Amino acid sequence: MPYLKHRMRQITAAAVAVMALGAASACDSAADANDTVSTGGTLRVVLPQLPEHLDPQRIAAAMDNNISRLMSRTLTTYKAESGAASSELVPDLATDLGRPSEKNTVWEFKLREGVKWEDGSPVNCSQVKYGVERNFAALFDSGLPYAELMLADNATPYEGPYSGKGLDSVVCEDTRTIKFKLKQPAGDFNYTVALPIFSPAKQGADGDKDAYDKRPLSNGPYRMEPRSGDKGFTLVRNEHWSSSLDSVRKGHPDKIVFVVDSNDPAVTNALIQDQGADRNTIMLQSNVAPNFLQQVINDPKLSQRVATGPSGSVRYFAINTVMVPNLDCRKALAYAFNKRKYRQAMGGSVIGELATSMIPPNLAAHAKFDHYGTLTDSDGDEDKALALIDKARKDGKPCPEKISVSLPENDTIARYVKTMVDAYVRIGIKVELKRLPADQYWGRIADVGHGNHLVYAGWIPDWANGSAVIPPLFDGKLVKPTGEQSGSNYSFLNDSDVNKAIADALAEQDLNRQYKLWGEIDSKLSEMAVTIPVLYPNSIRMYGSNVAGAFIHAQFGAPDLASLGLKDPSIPVDVTSSAS
C-alpha cells in the first residue's frame, strides 16, 4: 500500500512480527482450514456489543452485516474465501450478476428457484421489491442510503410501502424476475444489491418492527432462537435452507452462540489459555488486547490461532460541522490530534498505518495527500493549532474551550480516546467523553441533535470504489432534522459544492476518471476538516484451538462467519469459559 510519502517507512520489530504472522495465517487459508472442518457442533462467537440492527433494511454496521448474512440472503454477495477472492462478487438469490441495459440505468435479475423462508414458504420477487421499498420509510433511516440515492423516485416522493403504494422504479416482471430503474447510470449496481438493505422481506412478517429487528425471518442457513436479555443470542439451523441452492454459506456448525463481552483483555487471556468453551470461541469484532499483542504475535503456537489482515477500513473522528462551523477551529482540532500516541495505545505500528484520507489505500480511488503533516510529524502540530485558534478569536468567531466527544461504552476504546483528551488539553481545550450504549451507538450519533462536537467512527467501503465512501458519509441530502437519523453523515455536512461534486462523480461513466474525481473530493473534504482520519487498521482476531476456517474477509474486515466451523464437533460450549 504505497501511501507513505517523503521517507521510507521504518519497520519495527512488531511490524516484522505481524508480517510473519500474516504469512503464517496465509497458509491457514479458508481452503486449507476447511479441510479440517467437520459438520456439527456449537461455535461460540464473542462480540463487544449486541448488533444494533438485524432487520436487513436497518443495517449499516459491518458487524451486523456479517451476522445478517447467515440469515438474510441478497441478490449478489461475496465469496466466502480468503485473500483477494473475498472481494469477488458472486450470485446469491439471483442466478447471475445481473443484466444491465439502457446505458446502465436499468438492471434486471432473475431469482433462484427453490429458496425458502424458515417457515417453508418460497422467496419471490414481490418480497425483494417490498424489502427495497422499506428503505424509503422514515422508520428505516438508520440503514444505508443507496436505495434512496440510486433508485428513481415516484413523481410524488415515495414514503415506503406502509402507505399501500409501490415504488415505480422496482418492477416484478414475474415471480422470479426483478427490474431496477436508476436515477443515473451505475455500472457497479450489482455490488450495491449485495448489501442487506436489498434483502427480501416477507409482507406481514415485520408487523412488529422492533421485534423483527431483533429476530428477522430467515432465508439463510440459520434462524434465530427466541432472545431474552442483553448478553447474547443463539442461531440454530434453518431446516428449510438448502446447501445445493447456496454456493457461499458453508453452514458448518449446528449452532452458533453469540456472547457479549467487551473486556478485551479477559477475552484474549481466555483464548490464550484455550480451555473449555474457549476452544470453540472466536473474537469477531475486537482485536487481541494491546497488552497481549506482542505475546500473541511472537509465540509460534499462539500466532497460528490468529486471523490477521488489513481491515480495508478507516478509523476516524467526525467533526460536527453544525456545532463547529468555523473552519479554523476544525483545522485546529485536526492539527492538534496526536495520531502516533493514539496508535501506540492500540498496540503500535503493528495495528495499522496512520491515515490521511477517508478513502483507504486499497481502493483505486485513493488519492495521496497529507494536508496536516501526519506523515512528517504524527505527533501533531500544536503551534499551527494554537495559531488557528488565535485567528478565530481575532475574527470574532472563537473556538469552543470545551468540547464533548461521543464514543461507544467500551473500556478499550476509551483508553485510545484518552490520548485525544491529552492532546487537546495542550491547546487549551477540555474534552468531556460521552460514552453511549454500544448497541445503540450508530443510531444515536446519526441524530444531529446528539449535541457532541466529535464522534468516534469507522467505515468499511460497501464496495471497491469511492462511491461507497464519499456519498454515504458526506452527501448533504442525507442530513435530517433533530429526532431523525442522517444515515452515516456523522459530520452533518451539507455543502452545495460538495453535493454537486458528488453528483458529478456519480454521473461519470469513465471509471478511471471517476476514481480521480472521488480522490479530489476526498482531498477537498480533508481541507474542509470535516473529519480526522486516524488509522487504516489491521484486524488481529484470535480464536480457540478447535475453530477452523478463520480468515479476515475483505467485505467485513473481520472473520467471515459463513466460513467458520469446528475441527471436533463433540467439544461442547456448555461449560464455563475462563473469561466468565
Side-chain angles (χ1 to χ4, degrees):
M1 297 180 186
Y3 49 92
L4 285 178
K5 300 191 292 183
H6 308 310
R7 61 186 177 88
M8 293 294 290
R9 178 169 53 138
Q10 294 182 339
I11 302 192
T12 65
V16 172
V18 84
M19 289 168 63
L21 176 59
S25 298
C27 298
D28 187 28
S29 69
D32 296 327
N34 283 343
D35 288 341
T36 67
V37 176
S38 300
T39 299
T42 300
L43 175 71
R44 184 172 177 270
V45 180
V46 177
L47 310 175
Q49 71 272 339
L50 286 171
E52 188 165 358
H53 298 290
L54 287 176
D55 180 332
Q57 274 72 50
R58 291 186 171 188
I59 288 175
M63 183 186 82
D64 301 4
N65 188 3
N66 196 355
I67 297 170
S68 174
R69 196 160 80 137
L70 298 176
M71 296 179 287
S72 298
R73 297 179 64 176
T74 44
L75 291 171
T76 62
T77 191
Y78 293 87
K79 284 186 176 180
E81 297 180 18
S82 62
S86 66
S87 295
E88 293 181 25
L89 199 69
V90 292
D92 189 5
L93 283 178
T95 58
D96 56 30
L97 294 179
R99 295 172 296 282
S101 61
E102 300 183 32
K103 298 182 179 179
N104 290 333
T105 61
V106 175
W107 280 79
E108 184 176 284
F109 298 85
K110 178 75 75 173
L111 297 183
R112 197 179 302 276
E113 193 168 12
V115 179
K116 297 180 179 179
W117 295 97
E118 65 178 77
D119 63 5
S121 60
V123 173
N124 60 42
C125 182
S126 68
Q127 295 159 353
V128 178
K129 175 177 168 64
Y130 178 68
V132 176
E133 289 173 339
R134 294 171 89 231
N135 288 279
F136 288 77
L139 179 67
F140 300 102
D141 60 2
S142 60
L144 294 168
Y146 302 111
E148 294 173 89
L149 291 177
M150 300 179 77
L151 296 175
D153 204 348
N154 292 354
T156 300
Y158 186 60
E159 296 182 352
Y162 304 114
S163 64
K165 298 179 181 178
L167 181 63
D168 297 340
S169 56
V170 182
V171 178
C172 286
E173 301 289 317
D174 53 48
T175 58
R176 291 179 52 217
T177 307
I178 190 163
K179 183 181 289 185
F180 298 93
K181 300 175 183 179
L182 311 184
K183 292 179 180 177
Q184 54 196 23
D188 52 8
F189 185 69
N190 50 359
Y191 283 83
T192 310
V193 298
L195 295 169
I197 59 171
F198 282 85
S199 293
K202 187 177 179 181
Q203 295 93 331
D206 61 342
D208 184 332
K209 306 299 187 295
D210 291 337
Y212 193 78
D213 198 19
K214 293 183 178 179
R215 191 182 182 279
L217 197 68
S218 173
N219 51 54
Y222 297 95
R223 59 179 174 82
M224 185 173 290
E225 288 191 331
R227 290 172 62 173
S228 61
D230 58 0
K231 297 299 183 183
F233 55 94
T234 299
L235 301 185
V236 296
R237 289 196 182 280
N238 171 13
E239 58 268 29
H240 292 287
W241 172 78
S242 171
S243 60
S244 65
L245 298 175
D246 190 340
S247 63
V248 176
R249 298 158 187 82
K250 313 303 181 186
H252 292 307
D254 286 333
K255 183 184 293 186
I256 305 177
V257 175
F258 291 87
V259 179
V260 174
D261 192 336
S262 61
N263 190 333
D264 296 341
V267 173
T268 302
N269 184 57
L271 288 169
I272 290 171
Q273 300 305 315
D274 195 40
Q275 300 295 312
D278 296 305
R279 291 174 291 174
N280 289 16
T281 298
I282 187 166
M283 305 171 75
L284 185 68
Q285 209 64 21
S286 298
N287 278 338
V288 170
N291 54 316
F292 287 106
L293 190 55
Q294 293 299 324
Q295 174 189 353
V296 169
I297 65 177
N298 290 310
D299 185 301
K301 290 185 177 180
L302 295 178
S303 66
Q304 292 297 314
R305 293 196 285 113
V306 178
T308 185
S311 69
S313 66
V314 60
R315 182 66 62 193
Y316 69 102
F317 286 85
I319 302 177
N320 186 332
T321 58
V322 175
M323 294 188 68
V324 191
N326 188 309
L327 175 59
D328 290 329
C329 297
R330 296 199 302 270
K331 284 187 171 182
L333 294 172
Y335 272 117
F337 198 104
N338 190 319
K339 297 181 184 180
R340 181 188 65 80
K341 286 188 176 180
Y342 190 98
R343 183 174 66 172
Q344 193 61 39
M346 294 184 70
S349 58
V350 67
I351 210 68
E353 299 288 357
L354 298 178
T356 61
S357 66
M358 292 300 295
I359 299 176
N362 61 307
L363 300 191
H366 173 75
K368 296 180 181 180
F369 53 83
D370 183 18
H371 297 309
Y372 299 94
T374 292
L375 304 180
T376 54
D377 186 0
S378 57
D379 283 343
D381 192 326
E382 293 176 22
D383 291 339
K384 284 187 178 179
L386 288 168
L388 287 164
I389 290 172
D390 185 56
K391 178 178 179 297
R393 183 168 51 250
K394 290 177 179 177
D395 290 343
K397 300 177 181 178
C399 301
E401 296 180 356
K402 183 177 180 180
I403 62 174
S404 57
V405 178
S406 294
L407 67 156
E409 182 60 64
N410 183 292
D411 290 341
T412 301
I413 294 174
R415 283 196 293 273
Y416 309 155
V417 179
K418 177 64 165 56
T419 64
M420 181 177 69
V421 176
D422 297 339
Y424 287 162
V425 164
R426 297 174 69 89
I427 60 169
I429 297 177
K430 295 181 180 179
V431 178
E432 180 183 6
L433 299 183
K434 295 288 187 67
R435 296 170 62 154
L436 304 177
D439 60 349
Q440 303 172 25
Y441 183 72
W442 301 107
R444 295 274 287 271
I445 66 171
D447 184 343
V448 69
H450 65 63
N452 297 296
H453 299 80
L454 285 87
V455 299
Y456 169 95
W459 188 256
I460 298 178
D462 293 305
W463 57 85
N465 194 354
S467 56
V469 179
I470 303 300
L473 296 184
F474 303 107
D475 195 318
K477 291 195 295 291
L478 299 174
V479 179
K480 304 287 177 62
T482 297
E484 299 181 35
Q485 294 187 12
S486 299
S488 301
N489 187 341
Y490 304 127
S491 300
F492 308 113
L493 180 70
N494 189 2
D495 181 271
S496 58
D497 291 340
V498 171
N499 295 343
K500 183 180 185 304
I502 288 173
D504 290 346
L506 287 170
E508 176 58 55
Q509 291 299 289
D510 184 310
L511 199 54
N512 288 323
R513 173 60 183 162
Q514 189 184 118
Y515 291 154
K516 185 174 185 295
L517 291 175
W518 292 127
E520 290 172 354
I521 299 172
D522 198 6
S523 178
K524 174 64 176 175
L525 289 165
S526 177
E527 291 175 332
M528 294 171 68
V530 296
T531 64
I532 304 172
V534 181
L535 196 71
Y536 308 121
N538 293 322
S539 295
I540 307 173
R541 309 291 157 79
M542 195 170 188
Y543 52 91
S545 59
N546 195 38
V547 176
F551 63 90
I552 302 301
H553 195 286
Q555 186 63 14
F556 310 116
D560 179 22
L561 288 172
S563 302
L564 293 171
L566 302 173
K567 299 173 184 177
D568 180 0
S570 68
I571 295 178
V573 299
D574 56 348
V575 294
T576 302
S577 163
S578 52
S580 300

